[in-house]
Amino acid sequence: MAIIDGKALAEKMQADLKTKTDKLIKKGITPGLVVILVGEDPASQVYVKNKERVANNLGFNSVVRRVEETISEADLLKIINQYNLDSQFHGILVQLPLPKHIDEEKVLLTIDPQKDVDGFHPLNMGKLWEGNPLMIPSTPAGIMEMFKEYNVDLTGKNAVIIGRSNIVGKPMAALLLQENATVTITHSKTKDLKDVTKQADILVVAIGVGHFITADFVKNGAVVIDVGMNRNGEGKLIGDVKFDEVSGVASLITPVPGGVGPMTITMLMEQTYQAAWRTIND
């Protein structure tokens, strides 16, 4: 068994990204990223702080636009449109979840697809599924980089994903298909889940339930990617996979923390850089 060190890979990629960014800045273009944070959700505050720190380290023009939870939907859309038109910003990210009175879909549709560094706009989802991606959701993009770094050959492999969200499950399936894996998406309504996961050469777990996957779900020698981020009774961060058990069965496994998380932010920055770089040729 080997552990996929997402933290080390993220640091390596960020060092490369810093070099590329410095060159782009010399050409007169500084990658610009704005994160719009609505309200005071504690988890969102932490995520945004981490994104801001990495963006600043890379030399990006990084702005966090904090707005009151009571902001009207119309006013939020106005703010997004301001940044759509502002050439200093190449990436726009609206931190989810949003307050209940704001329609998430309307917000995602308002972001210019060229600046949609989260990759959630329907146009970007469609381009991903047709095999011609422009912006890719960061978590699946980061997982694909892990496979590359650890020489995981996906061709002809049985890949099983637990979770069908637009953030992880569905885009993950599209990316795995593009690398010639045979993909099964499972979810909370799947019958005999254990029988399905036991067939997996590659198992990507994004179910959102702490320590849900135990060794008896996993085929001997499988590659296991744990996307879960949950707090246990003591407030400790744990994954969806029972690491101590499953690591005895898997050939490769990601830990929580230190696995998928650092890669998600790195890919967000990579896509912001790519969006800025594209403006040279526009």
Side-chain angles (χ1 to χ4, degrees), residues 126-142:
K127 286 180 82 66
L128 174 60
W129 276 102
E130 71 176 15
N132 184 28
L134 175 69
M135 298 285 196
I136 303 168
S138 303
T139 299

Side-chain angles (χ1 to χ4, degrees), residues 233-277:
E234 291 89 62
K236 187 180 170 225
L237 192 63
I238 60 166
D240 291 352
V241 175
K242 205 164 189 183
F243 183 88
D244 295 346
E245 258 190 43
V246 175
S247 57
V249 185
S251 60
L252 268 175
I253 187 168
T254 59
V256 176
V260 173
M263 288 300 297
T264 296
I265 289 181
T266 303
M267 297 315 293
L268 182 72
M269 300 304 155
E270 175 67 36
Q271 297 209 108
T272 304
Y273 164 82
Q274 293 294 344
W277 184 84

Side-chain angles (χ1 to χ4, degrees), residues 60 154 249:
F60 285 14
L154 298 167
V249 185

Side-chain angles (χ1 to χ4, degrees), residues 140-158:
I143 292 168
M144 296 307 286
E145 289 295 330
M146 287 172 160
F147 290 145
K148 211 183 290 175
E149 178 73 8
Y150 284 80
N151 299 310
V152 177
D153 180 15
L154 298 167
T155 301
K157 296 289 169 62
N158 277 337

Side-chain angles (χ1 to χ4, degrees), residues 31-278:
L33 174 66
V34 58
V35 179
I36 300 168
L37 178 59
V38 183
E40 306 282 334
D41 180 72
S44 294
Q45 299 271 9
V46 173
Y47 293 144
V48 168
K49 201 173 175 185
N50 289 340
K51 287 165 185 166
E52 190 177 21
R53 179 178 48 79
V54 175
N56 286 333
N57 289 345
L58 292 168
F60 285 14
N61 170 23
S62 168
V63 168
V64 176
R65 179 77 182 263
R66 290 179 168 83
V67 296
E68 294 294 325
E69 192 159 347
T70 51
I71 190 170
S72 71
E73 184 178 273
D75 284 346
L76 179 60
L77 299 184
K78 246 183 237 166
I79 290 170
I80 294 167
N81 274 318
Q82 280 168 15
Y83 290 109
N84 281 341
L85 298 169
D86 190 336
S87 60
Q88 287 182 85
F89 292 95
H90 310 94
I92 300 169
L93 189 155
V94 178
Q95 185 65 44
L96 304 176
L98 289 167
K100 288 192 169 43
H101 68 280
I102 294 173
D103 183 337
E104 205 169 277
E105 193 183 354
K106 248 189 218 170
V107 167
L108 296 178
L109 279 169
T110 302
I111 298 169
D112 178 350
Q114 303 277 341
K115 296 187 177 191
D116 167 39
V117 283
D118 255 339
F120 297 156
H121 191 288
L123 185 85
N124 284 326
M125 282 287 186
K127 286 180 82 66
L128 174 60
W129 276 102
E130 71 176 15
N132 184 28
L134 175 69
M135 298 285 196
I136 303 168
S138 303
T139 299
I143 292 168
M144 296 307 286
E145 289 295 330
M146 287 172 160
F147 290 145
K148 211 183 290 175
E149 178 73 8
Y150 284 80
N151 299 310
V152 177
D153 180 15
L154 298 167
T155 301
K157 296 289 169 62
N158 277 337
V160 175
I161 301 161
I162 309 181
R164 53 181 162 179
S165 73
N166 291 334
I167 297 170
V168 180
K170 289 174 191 169
M172 190 79 245
L175 290 167
L176 286 164
L177 282 170
Q178 280 162 34
E179 294 301 321
N180 304 311
T182 301
V183 182
T184 304
I185 301 179
T186 68
H187 44 78
S188 58
K189 303 284 190 294
T190 299
K191 288 191 175 126
D192 304 319
L193 180 63
K194 210 173 277 190
D195 294 344
V196 182
T197 60
K198 287 285 269 194
Q199 304 300 312
D201 303 306
I202 315 285
L203 183 61
V204 180
V205 187
I207 199 166
V209 179
H211 287 175
F212 182 85
I213 297 295
T214 47
D216 55 339
F217 279 83
V218 181
K219 175 183 176 180
N220 208 28
V223 175
V224 179
I225 305 291
D226 188 354
V227 183
M229 289 182 81
N230 315 283
R231 297 276 172 193
N232 68 7
E234 291 89 62
K236 187 180 170 225
L237 192 63
I238 60 166
D240 291 352
V241 175
K242 205 164 189 183
F243 183 88
D244 295 346
E245 258 190 43
V246 175
S247 57
V249 185
S251 60
L252 268 175
I253 187 168
T254 59
V256 176
V260 173
M263 288 300 297
T264 296
I265 289 181
T266 303
M267 297 315 293
L268 182 72
M269 300 304 155
E270 175 67 36
Q271 297 209 108
T272 304
Y273 164 82
Q274 293 294 344
W277 184 84
R278 278 194 292 271

